[in-house]
Amino acid sequence: MKYVFYVLGILILTLGISFTIQSDLGTSPFDALLVGLSINVGLTVGSWEIIIALILICCNSLLKKQRPEVLGLLTAFITGISIDMWLFLLHHLITPELWYSKVVCFGIGLVVIGLGTATYLHTNFAPIPVDRLTLILQELTRTNIFFSRTFIYLLFLIMAIISNGPIGVGTLLTVCLGGLILNYFMPFTEKVLDPILTPSSTPPTYDKDKKHSI
């Protein structure tokens, strides 16, 4: 059951990413970097997701001083394929032109990203390397998801500007609100998924030390 929610969470996350890209208001700094590289260098957005993930896996390994989490590449691979799939589908279904339809499209995407990320992270199985980096920074700085997520967004914002990615008002909103939305959904998904993922015979405190501290 854990793996079902793991894949479901990634599908929800990538649907949200595709909504923000289609809104044409600007994406998250990380996704803007992927789109910028896709436009200026070549390959698909999903392909760059996998390439950047490989680099981040090495960085995370150095920060944690442990073996590279190769399973994170599996997550990135599924994420990359899902992004390309959703972009292909949404391109033929949703192309907002009026400003308010773009805002609605972006708003839906931002909320869906938070829900999807919280869902698959709660399964505690092979986080996307950028999300693992968020959790590592949270642990190293002893702060919360909002701080570490915002710091990473600012770092990728600089890289996205250099790569001429789709930076816009949506990018600023993602930097300001992305961490807050994720921070909101983490306890929500814990409340919903714990009764499903935790065996009834297991005491409620069994997994607490293994969960992410939000």
Side-chain angles (χ1 to χ4, degrees):
M1 184 60 72
K2 177 174 73 171
Y3 304 112
V4 172
F5 284 105
Y6 161 74
V7 175
L8 179 62
I10 292 178
L11 288 174
I12 295 173
L13 162 64
T14 50
L15 175 61
I17 291 173
S18 300
F19 262 103
T20 60
I21 292 176
Q22 285 297 106
S23 73
D24 200 31
L25 290 180
T27 65
S28 76
F30 181 71
D31 297 322
L33 173 61
L34 300 181
V35 175
L37 289 171
S38 177
I39 293 174
N40 296 298
V41 180
L43 302 179
T44 64
V45 176
S47 297
W48 280 110
E49 165 79 30
I50 298 171
I51 294 171
I52 298 297
L54 185 58
I55 297 173
L56 288 176
I57 286 174
C58 296
C59 293
N60 293 343
S61 176
L62 292 174
L63 286 174
K64 290 289 287 183
K65 297 179 180 179
Q66 62 184 27
R67 287 183 176 182
E69 297 179 338
V70 182
L71 276 177
L73 194 58
L74 170 64
T75 305
F77 185 75
I78 298 174
T79 302
I81 292 176
S82 299
I83 289 175
D84 288 343
M85 176 192 73
W86 285 124
L87 284 176
F88 175 78
L89 293 175
L90 292 182
H91 178 71
H92 297 285
L93 296 175
I94 301 175
T95 52
E97 297 181 358
L98 300 175
W99 69 268
Y100 58 83
S101 61
K102 292 183 177 183
V103 170
V104 171
C105 185
F106 177 83
I108 291 173
L110 196 59
V111 172
V112 171
I113 286 173
L115 175 61
T117 303
T119 299
Y120 98 85
L121 276 180
H122 194 70
T123 64
N124 208 24
F125 178 77
I128 296 172
V130 68
D131 291 328
R132 171 59 78 188
L133 179 59
T134 300
L135 296 172
I136 290 174
L137 285 181
Q138 177 200 1
E139 179 184 341
L140 292 177
T141 59
R142 297 182 180 179
T143 54
N144 57 22
I145 286 289
F146 171 68
F147 176 85
S148 56
R149 190 72 160 187
T150 302
F151 176 80
I152 291 173
Y153 274 155
L154 290 174
L155 181 63
F156 279 111
L157 176 61
I158 297 173
M159 298 172 66
I161 292 173
I162 295 174
S163 68
N164 293 319
I167 304 296
V169 64
T171 307
L172 179 61
L173 289 173
T174 302
V175 172
C176 295
L177 302 177
L180 286 175
I181 293 174
L182 178 59
N183 209 40
Y184 168 80
F185 274 118
M186 288 296 275
F188 172 77
T189 53
E190 179 179 0
K191 181 179 179 181
V192 174
L193 296 182
D194 267 358
I196 301 173
L197 299 178
T198 305
S200 57
S201 59
T202 304
T205 57
Y206 179 81
D207 266 347
K208 289 303 180 183
D209 290 338
K210 294 183 180 180
K211 299 297 181 185
H212 310 305
S213 177
I214 302 302

